[in-house]
Amino acid sequence: MPTSRPRVSPTPFWYYLGAVYALYGAYLLGRVGGLLSPYLPASLPLPALILLDLVALPALIFAWLWRDRPPVALVGAVVIVTVGMLAGFWGLGPTAVDAAFHSLLPGKAIVMIGSSVLMAGYEARVLWEVVSLRRRTNFDVVISRKTAVGPGDSWVVRRWKKALAAELRLWTYGLVRKAPALSEFPGDRHFSYGSQSANASTWMAWAVINLLPLPILHLLMDKISPGVAYVSSIMTLLSALWCLAEARASRFRPVSLDSKSLHLRYGLSVERTIELSGIQVARSLSWKDLDARDVTRYAGFGGVNLRLELRGGEVIHLGLDDPRGFLDEMTRLKATLRT
C-alpha cells in the first residue's frame, strides 16, 4: 500500500507573505506595461499582459519545480517570476515607478491589510500548536518528528522545515515552563551545555538587558512616531523572548550519545545526527586550535572545549559542561563498535 508523505503544519508565514507580495509586484509590473511588453505587439491589451505575467510564466516554472510539494512549487514559481519582474520594474526609471505607485495606493493598502491578517492568522495557528505541544512530556521530540527531513525533500523544503522547527522551539521553550523529559530524547547518555562559560546565564542577561530600557525607549519614541514606538517595542519583546528560549534550550536540550550515533542538538535550531563511525578524531581543544579556520562552532555564548574531525573533512568545535565524560563515553562506544 502506498504511503502518503507526512504533512508539515503549520505552513511558515513567509511563504504566504511571499506569495502576496509576489502577486502584488507582478500586478505593479502589469500596470506599467509588463516585463514582456517590449517583445509583444503594441496593440495587445493590458489584461493580456497581466495574464501573461500572472499565469503563463509562473505555470512554466511551477512545472519545473513540480518535484517539490505542489504548494511549495507554486509559491516558489510566483516568487521567482516576481524577482525578475521587479528587477525590470525598477529598470523602467523613477518617473514610471512614481506613476505606478501613485496609481496603486488602494492596492498597497489592500496588500498591507492582507499581510497583517495573514500574519495574525499564522501566529494564532502557531500558538495553538504550542498549546497542544505543552501537553506532551517532551515537546522537543514531537517538533523534531513533525519537521523531519525526508530523503526526497529539496533544498527549499529542508530550509522550510528547519525554519519551522526553530520557530516552534522559540515559542515552546520561551513560553512553556515545563522542561521536556530528558529520558525521551534519543540517546543513551545526555550531556548539557548550559553551564560552560556561563552560556545560559549570558543568554538570560541579554534578555534582561533588552527589557530594562524598554519603557523609557517606548515613551521617547512615542513622541516621534507612535507606530514606530509600538513596532520597536514588539521587536524588543520578541528578541528578549528569543534570548530566554535559547537560555532554556541550552539547559534542557542535550547533546546525546548512543551505541551508533551522536545526536547533536544545540540551541533552538541545531539538530544533527552523526554516525560514530564517521567521527575520525574526538579530543579536547588545545590553544593551537583557537585560531582554526573553516570550523563549525557550537557553543552559544559559551566557549568551545572539544574538537571533532569527521570523515568528510568537516571540523566541529563543541562546548559541553562535561567534556571529559563525553570523550570517555565516545571512546567506550567506538571501542564497542570495533569489536
Side-chain angles (χ1 to χ4, degrees), residues 215-225 229:
I216 297 174
L217 290 176
H218 182 86
L219 290 174
L220 292 174
M221 295 183 70
D222 187 66
K223 296 181 180 299
I224 302 172
S225 172

Side-chain angles (χ1 to χ4, degrees), residues 1-277:
M1 177 181 293
T3 58
S4 59
R5 300 188 69 175
R7 299 184 64 182
V8 179
S9 175
T11 303
F13 160 72
W14 302 112
Y15 281 79
Y16 292 129
L17 183 62
V20 170
Y21 276 100
L23 291 173
Y24 181 54
Y27 181 59
L28 281 178
L29 224 0
R31 286 296 297 264
V32 295
L35 185 64
L36 300 180
S37 59
Y39 311 102
L40 297 172
S43 58
L44 196 63
L46 185 61
L49 290 173
I50 298 176
L51 187 66
L52 283 171
D53 285 346
L54 297 184
V55 177
L57 288 178
L60 290 174
I61 300 182
F62 176 71
W64 174 57
L65 294 173
W66 181 255
R67 63 191 180 87
D68 287 331
R69 298 180 183 184
V72 179
L74 177 60
V75 175
V78 175
V79 170
I80 290 171
V81 169
T82 306
V83 167
M85 287 183 173
L86 291 178
F89 173 68
W90 289 109
L92 292 171
T95 304
V97 171
D98 290 343
F101 273 99
H102 281 93
S103 65
L104 289 174
L105 286 176
K108 291 166 67 177
I110 291 173
V111 171
M112 292 293 290
I113 294 172
S115 301
S116 301
V117 171
L118 282 172
M119 186 170 186
Y122 167 73
E123 293 301 339
R125 191 177 179 191
V126 168
L127 292 176
W128 179 258
E129 188 84 7
V130 171
V131 170
S132 65
L133 286 171
R134 68 184 293 272
R135 302 189 186 99
R136 305 297 186 97
T137 55
N138 190 318
F139 53 78
D140 193 287
V141 172
V142 177
I143 292 172
S144 297
R145 290 171 184 164
K146 282 177 173 287
T147 58
V149 175
D153 289 340
S154 68
W155 182 88
V156 174
V157 175
R158 290 198 301 270
R159 292 294 176 182
W160 173 14
K161 291 181 176 180
K162 185 175 180 180
L164 174 60
E167 183 174 6
L168 287 173
R169 289 193 180 100
L170 165 67
W171 293 108
T172 48
Y173 278 102
L175 299 179
V176 179
R177 294 182 61 185
K178 180 179 63 176
L182 189 64
S183 60
E184 294 189 16
F185 281 106
D188 298 328
R189 186 170 175 186
H190 308 290
F191 299 88
S192 61
Y193 46 89
S195 300
Q196 51 93 12
S197 300
N199 181 21
S201 299
T202 307
W203 280 113
M204 287 295 296
W206 276 110
V208 174
I209 290 170
N210 274 317
L211 291 174
L212 281 179
L214 180 59
I216 297 174
L217 290 176
H218 182 86
L219 290 174
L220 292 174
M221 295 183 70
D222 187 66
K223 296 181 180 299
I224 302 172
S225 172
V228 172
Y230 280 105
V231 170
S232 176
S233 296
I234 291 172
M235 296 304 294
T236 302
L237 289 172
L238 288 175
S239 65
L241 180 67
W242 170 57
C243 292
L244 172 63
E246 286 281 5
R248 298 190 75 243
S250 67
R251 289 172 175 165
F252 303 129
R253 193 165 183 254
V255 173
S256 307
L257 285 170
D258 60 26
S259 59
K260 295 183 179 179
S261 303
L262 163 63
H263 301 278
L264 186 54
R265 312 176 194 90
Y266 223 97
L268 299 176
S269 58
V270 177
E271 181 158 25
R272 301 175 59 181
T273 300
I274 303 171
E275 297 295 326
L276 293 184
S277 58

